[in-house]
């Protein structure tokens, strides 16, 4: 498949027997998607080799069952109405767009982001505690992505004013995360609060993994063969792990349900940054969080060329603003 700017002209669903892809290290090929029942089975090297891993009911292993759903309902009650929250509680988070317009949905997303931030850090530390011993040190990011994707009809005509919510309320095109500001060896934790269906989920192109893709900033340039995408269906509470450097995009929501997902990021080994990244974010040493040495937690990220490039970008930005 040759990918055009976005959306791509054709989609493929996850086959019953997942395709195999070659690992970045050239070792034996790995199935594109595997499934586990427990976090203590995870080897993050496999994720960075290109495997996508689903942990069924993984969220319940990280936080009290239903706590994030209750936070979502509290956000709806606060920003829409208690009556709307009651209706959504009865019907499911997938039906929020039937009781809230797009402006209210934006308020719900922002309120839920605020509510989940403290809990999300604890969740990530819990995640690192539950992992079996890994080949390299695991670092964690303060990144939090609260992604509420309503059906396309709910957003029609409002896309431009929701531009700052690209990837959070409106679809984002095919990209690699390290083109933005994340480490090339990062792992995405994609946590489903609602059903993730083939008509509202995530597209991942395993055949393009670790290839030198042509891009302008964070935009994939057209005309490149990237293979066929796969999609993963998730139940509420399922956890999907995939490498941030997989080429991936939001599946435009053509279905009848709003999709709720919360994302966090970790890094296996010292963070390394793309030389053409548009930004930089630190990854933290979880062993130092909650201790008097907390200010040193981002040190490994600070001592990188990526941080130096970010300082240069910031200095140029300040100089340009003074000139204008």
């Amino acid at each position: 498949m040759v990918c055009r700017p976005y959306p791509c002209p054709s989609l493929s669903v996850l086959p019953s027997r997942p395709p195999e892809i070659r690992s970045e290290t050239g070792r034996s090929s790995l199935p594109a998607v595997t499934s586990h029942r427990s976090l203590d089975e995870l080897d993050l090297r496999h994720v960075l080799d290109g495997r996508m891993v689903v942990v069924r009911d993984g969220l319940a292993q990280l936080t009290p069952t239903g706590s994030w759903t209750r936070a979502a309902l509290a956000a709806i009650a606060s920003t829409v109405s208690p009556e709307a929250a009651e209706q959504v509680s009865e019907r499911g988070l997938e039906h929020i767009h039937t009781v809230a317009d797009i402006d209210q949905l934006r308020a719900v997303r922002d309120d839920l982001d605020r509510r989940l931030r403290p809990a999300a850090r604890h969740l990530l530390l819990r995640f690192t505690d539950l992992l079996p011993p890994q080949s390299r040190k695991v670092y964690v990011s303060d990144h939090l992505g609260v992604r509420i994707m309503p059906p396309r009809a709910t957003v029609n005509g409002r896309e431009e004013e929701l531009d700052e919510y690209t990837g959070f309320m409106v679809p984002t095109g095919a990209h690699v995360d390290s083109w933005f500001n994340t480490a090339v060896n990062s792992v995405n934790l994609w946590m489903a609060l609602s059903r993730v269906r083939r008509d509202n989920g995530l597209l991942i192109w395993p055949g393009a993994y670790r290839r030198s893709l042509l891009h302008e900033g964070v935009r994939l340039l057209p005309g490149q063969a990237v293979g066929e995408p796969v999609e993963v269906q998730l139940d509420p509470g399922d956890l999907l792990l995939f490498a941030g450097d997989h080429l991936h995009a939001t599946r435009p929501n053509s279905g009848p349900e709003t999709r709720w997902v919360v994302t966090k990021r970790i890094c296996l080994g010292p963070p390394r940054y793309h030389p053409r990244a548009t930004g930089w974010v630190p990854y933290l040493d979880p062993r130092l969080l909650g201790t008097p040495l907390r200010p040193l937690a981002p040190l490994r990220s600070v001592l990188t060329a990526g941080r130096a490039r970010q300082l240069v970008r910031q200095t140029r930005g300040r100089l340009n603003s003074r000139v204008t």
Side-chain angles (χ1 to χ4, degrees):
M1 176 181 176
V2 175
C3 192
R4 293 165 176 79
Y6 187 77
C8 288
S10 63
L11 308 174
S12 65
V13 298
L14 179 66
S16 57
R17 177 172 291 181
E20 292 196 342
I21 53 179
R22 180 65 56 182
S23 73
E24 63 166 311
T25 59
R27 295 191 293 268
S28 60
S29 58
L30 297 167
V33 183
T34 58
S35 182
H36 294 298
R37 283 287 177 183
S38 175
L39 293 169
D40 61 14
E41 300 172 352
L42 294 179
D43 186 339
L44 296 179
R45 292 177 305 174
H46 294 163
V47 179
L48 288 182
D49 276 342
R51 184 181 297 177
M52 290 161 273
V53 177
V54 175
V55 182
R56 300 298 177 187
D57 298 316
L59 189 58
Q61 299 173 47
L62 298 172
T63 190
T65 302
S67 61
W68 283 22
T69 298
R70 289 192 292 274
L73 293 172
I76 296 169
S78 174
T79 59
V80 184
S81 71
E83 295 75 19
E86 185 175 347
Q87 292 181 52
V88 172
S89 177
E90 293 173 355
R91 301 184 60 198
L93 293 176
E94 296 87 351
H95 299 281
I96 176 64
H97 59 278
T98 65
V99 298
D101 61 27
I102 193 64
D103 294 313
Q104 291 171 321
L105 281 171
R106 178 165 47 187
V108 169
R109 197 222 69 89
D110 292 346
D111 188 80
L112 183 57
D113 182 289
R114 177 184 60 79
R115 291 173 187 271
L116 288 186
R117 283 198 173 271
R121 171 172 284 185
H122 291 299
L123 176 142
L124 208 52
L125 296 178
R126 170 73 173 160
F127 177 86
T128 59
D129 286 342
L130 289 177
L131 285 177
Q134 301 292 306
S135 59
R136 309 193 75 182
K137 185 188 296 184
V138 175
Y139 296 82
V140 301
S141 171
D142 271 339
H143 156 85
L144 175 66
V146 176
R147 308 178 189 276
I148 302 177
M149 292 286 173
R152 203 180 312 183
T154 307
V155 185
N156 276 349
R158 305 289 298 276
E159 292 87 354
E160 186 172 339
E161 64 185 89
L162 292 171
D163 183 64
E164 65 179 301
Y165 290 86
T166 298
F168 300 94
M169 289 187 66
V170 293
T172 184
H175 66 280
V176 166
D177 284 346
S178 63
W179 296 348
F180 290 84
N181 52 22
T182 67
V184 300
N185 51 331
S186 69
V187 172
N188 282 329
L189 280 65
W190 219 68
M191 297 169 280
L193 300 190
S194 68
R195 286 185 295 269
V196 176
R197 301 157 38 117
R198 286 173 175 151
D199 55 16
N200 69 10
L202 181 73
L203 299 172
I204 300 177
W205 285 266
Y209 185 55
R210 296 298 194 195
R211 286 181 46 196
S212 297
L213 298 171
L214 300 177
H215 60 99
E216 184 177 316
V218 299
R219 185 178 70 88
L220 178 70
L221 294 178
Q224 302 178 74
V226 295
E228 292 297 323
V230 297
E231 299 178 81
V232 181
Q233 295 190 101
L234 303 173
D235 291 326
D238 286 349
L239 174 61
L240 169 66
L241 291 92
F242 65 96
D245 262 17
H246 266 302
L247 182 68
H248 60 284
T250 311
R251 169 70 155 84
N253 189 346
S254 59
E257 297 183 352
T258 293
R259 182 257 281 169
W260 297 63
V261 165
V262 177
T263 60
K264 291 288 290 180
R265 294 190 180 116
I266 59 174
C267 184
L268 182 63
R272 296 179 286 110
Y273 296 90
H274 194 291
R276 293 174 55 199
T278 61
W280 172 90
V281 293
Y283 290 77
L284 313 176
D285 187 337
R287 300 173 304 174
L288 303 182
L289 299 177
T291 76
L293 297 178
R294 168 66 179 81
L296 298 178
L299 184 61
R300 193 63 185 81
S301 283
V302 171
L303 300 175
T304 60
R307 174 56 173 162
R309 289 189 290 266
Q310 176 69 0
L311 291 174
V312 170
R313 283 189 293 268
Q314 290 173 338
T315 300
R316 287 175 177 169
R318 286 194 293 268
L319 292 175
N320 290 338
S321 65
R322 290 176 184 174
V323 170
T324 55

